[in-house]
Amino acid sequence: MVENRSTRRPGRLNVLCVVGARPNFMKAAPLMRAFAALDSIDACLVHTGQHYDAAMKTAFFEQLQIAEPDVDLGVGSGTHAVQTAEIMKRFEPVLDARRPDAVLVVGDVNSTIACALVAAKKGMAVIHVEAGLRSFDRGMPEEINRVLTDQLSDRLYTTERGALENLTREGIDPDRVCFAGNVMIDTLLAHRARAPSARTVLSEAGVAQELHPREGFGLVTLHRPSNVDDPETLGSLLDTLATLAEDLPLIFPVHPRTRARLEAAGLWERAAGSLLVLPPVDYLNMLGLMAGARLVLTDSGGVQEETTALGVPCLTLRENTERPITVDQGTNTIVGRDAELIRRVAAEVLRDGGKTGRIPELWDGRAAERIARDLSAWLMQRAGSRSAE
Ligand code: UD1
């Protein structure tokens, strides 16, 4: 475990923010900035180390200008039980030493539930940013993390109005819920102008010559266990993508988990032979690729939201989404693994451009500011009512 510094100052509220995996970094960055702009809060950052590679972690900290974490728990990879347990074991002494006024967790990864559970059992306030999203699919590890984290949370910030209904149904007091907007979109809007063009990204990756200048490209991301863990499922998805790639070249930055599964299943050569495979790309390059793509095929939650914000058609390679607003208002279409449906929707996009959508309410770049202000007021009120007891 690495401890960097202590930022606790007397008279200020101390909020300990947790990050663990790649999609957490984009969410924590604007929150840390918004807390720094307030006089009332000192925030510190704990990285669990769930994601640790330069490509999965360091590049994001640098580009998003996130200070090095105050504490790095260095847990690394493992089964769900091992990873979650290891985070809990290493997180507990950090809370004992720092005694923060609140522990803030984002998203739905194993680090989110692990740290929320430790904090809740210590009677500390748990704050969940991106609360109330539901896929209603308990086969998805993230769904379990989402439901349990929300149950443990004292203050819950949502990205879309429908989330409140999910939380209320699960018995959560609506007074604890605040509709604040989408912090991931704060980051997208803050960095969009800095992103290189897709052509630059592809030239630097050495694949630009494979593309016709006017034909464009599609972008693929794939890492969900339900898509990549079973070799047969992965193989048939690959066949579908290879057929699509005959009409539109497909760029495929490969997540380490997916690469490992492709190699283990003996499918790597097939993937690299039909798609333009790249190593995982950093945040700005991914933004450039998404913005320049004619369509995106993905099983990621964040990419569904980012394509909606960018107005780029997205085909979600899952049976469901916990982010229904991206379908109702945005550019997202749920296609599952149905080869025929995927081909049909992709053909429609290539023919007439596909869904254009609109930007959902409060996806305006100010969500983190709203959360910081609300949290400061909420914590002060809580401290006041506790000292009056
Ligand atoms: C995790 C999240 C998922 C999120 C995804 C984004 C959970 C349950 N899942 O899935 O919700 O969408 O992050 O990427 O928390 N690995 C590396 N280097 C790294 C990190 C991981 O090589 O820096 C490899 C390891 O082989 C590891 C595998 O990727 O076993 C999976 O990593 P893990 O954190 O367990 O889950 P993800 O699939 O990344």
Side-chain angles (χ1 to χ4, degrees):
M1 186 169 88
V2 182
E3 277 265 2
N4 277 338
R5 62 181 184 276
S6 174
T7 48
R8 185 152 207 158
R9 285 176 288 183
R12 297 202 181 201
L13 297 159
N14 193 264
V15 176
L16 188 154
C17 299
V18 174
V19 290
R22 188 167 64 172
N24 295 163
F25 308 143
M26 291 79 109
K27 296 169 194 169
L31 288 166
M32 293 301 285
R33 242 188 307 281
F35 290 138
L38 293 183
D39 289 333
S40 52
I41 289 184
D42 277 337
C44 69
L45 189 66
V46 173
H47 176 41
T48 64
Q50 179 175 346
H51 285 177
Y52 43 89
D53 279 356
M56 299 295 283
K57 185 244 165 188
T58 318
F60 288 77
F61 271 65
E62 283 169 10
Q63 287 190 340
L64 302 177
Q65 292 148 348
I66 311 172
E68 267 307 294
D70 299 83
V71 182
D72 189 335
L73 303 178
V75 295
S77 303
T79 64
H80 284 265
V82 166
Q83 190 175 61
T84 309
E86 202 54 49
I87 296 169
M88 291 177 70
K89 268 167 62 186
R90 296 188 193 194
F91 189 54
E92 181 168 47
V94 175
L95 290 189
D96 288 340
R98 292 182 174 246
R99 305 294 313 165
D101 297 293
V103 172
L104 183 148
V105 296
V106 296
D108 55 15
V109 302
N110 285 344
S111 302
T112 310
I113 176 64
C115 295
L117 188 50
V118 177
K121 291 240 179 133
K122 288 189 171 291
M124 289 174 181
V126 176
I127 316 300
H128 188 203
V129 173
E130 202 185 87
L133 298 178
R134 296 290 180 269
S135 66
F136 304 102
D137 173 4
R138 292 279 173 109
M140 214 181 157
E142 293 81 2
E143 181 75 353
I144 296 171
N145 295 343
R146 286 191 278 264
V147 171
L148 296 179
T149 303
D150 286 338
Q151 283 296 328
L152 296 170
S153 295
D154 297 284
R155 190 88 183 129
L156 301 92
Y157 294 101
T158 59
T159 55
E160 49 181 277
R161 286 195 185 273
L164 176 61
E165 204 180 304
N166 295 333
L167 294 168
T168 312
R169 198 183 316 108
E170 291 169 14
I172 289 166
D173 180 352
D175 285 347
R176 304 216 312 257
V177 182
C178 171
F179 172 44
N182 193 323
V183 288
M184 189 171 235
I185 303 307
D186 288 3
T187 294
L188 182 143
L189 296 175
H191 292 274
R192 194 179 166 178
R194 287 175 57 214
S197 73
R199 187 135 290 274
T200 306
V201 181
L202 296 171
S203 302
E204 280 171 9
V207 296
Q209 71 288 352
E210 318 250 358
L211 303 178
H212 188 281
R214 279 189 309 277
E215 192 180 50
F217 65 92
L219 179 67
V220 177
T221 85
L222 217 53
H223 75 283
R224 293 266 156 239
S226 56
N227 278 335
V228 306
D229 282 3
D230 173 43
E232 209 173 302
T233 306
L234 184 57
S236 87
L237 250 180
L238 211 51
D239 288 341
T240 307
L241 294 172
T243 315
L244 274 190
E246 289 167 14
D247 296 326
L248 180 71
L250 294 180
I251 308 293
F252 182 23
V254 187
H255 186 284
R257 166 193 198 95
T258 310
R259 172 142 199 170
R261 302 296 185 197
L262 285 167
E263 285 175 347
L267 292 168
W268 177 250
E269 272 68 38
R270 205 155 116 210
S274 47
L275 312 178
L276 296 167
V277 297
L278 304 181
V281 290
D282 61 31
Y283 183 72
L284 292 176
N285 283 345
M286 185 64 185
L287 208 47
L289 287 176
M290 279 190 291
R294 291 182 70 185
L295 61 86
V296 176
L297 298 124
T298 191
D299 59 9
S300 150
V303 171
Q304 294 173 54
E305 295 184 337
E306 288 165 336
T307 45
T308 277
L310 292 166
V312 174
C314 176
L315 280 65
T316 293
L317 302 166
R318 286 172 40 191
E319 301 303 328
N320 49 54
T321 179
E322 63 287 342
R323 293 161 162 88
I325 204 165
T326 60
V327 176
D328 301 341
Q329 297 185 15
T331 57
N332 193 13
T333 307
I334 304 295
V335 292
R337 289 191 293 264
D338 179 339
E340 193 36 53
L341 182 60
I342 295 170
R343 273 198 290 272
R344 201 172 71 229
V345 178
E348 280 165 20
V349 172
L350 295 185
R351 200 179 52 238
D352 62 23
K355 284 171 91 168
T356 46
R358 62 184 156 97
I359 306 296
E361 186 184 2
L362 299 190
W363 290 24
D364 59 357
R366 316 286 297 270
E369 282 170 41
R370 284 189 282 271
I371 291 172
R373 277 199 307 271
D374 177 88
L375 183 58
S376 170
W378 183 83
L379 281 171
M380 280 192 233
Q381 195 186 25
R382 188 171 184 268
S385 57
R386 286 197 153 189
S387 60
E389 275 168 13

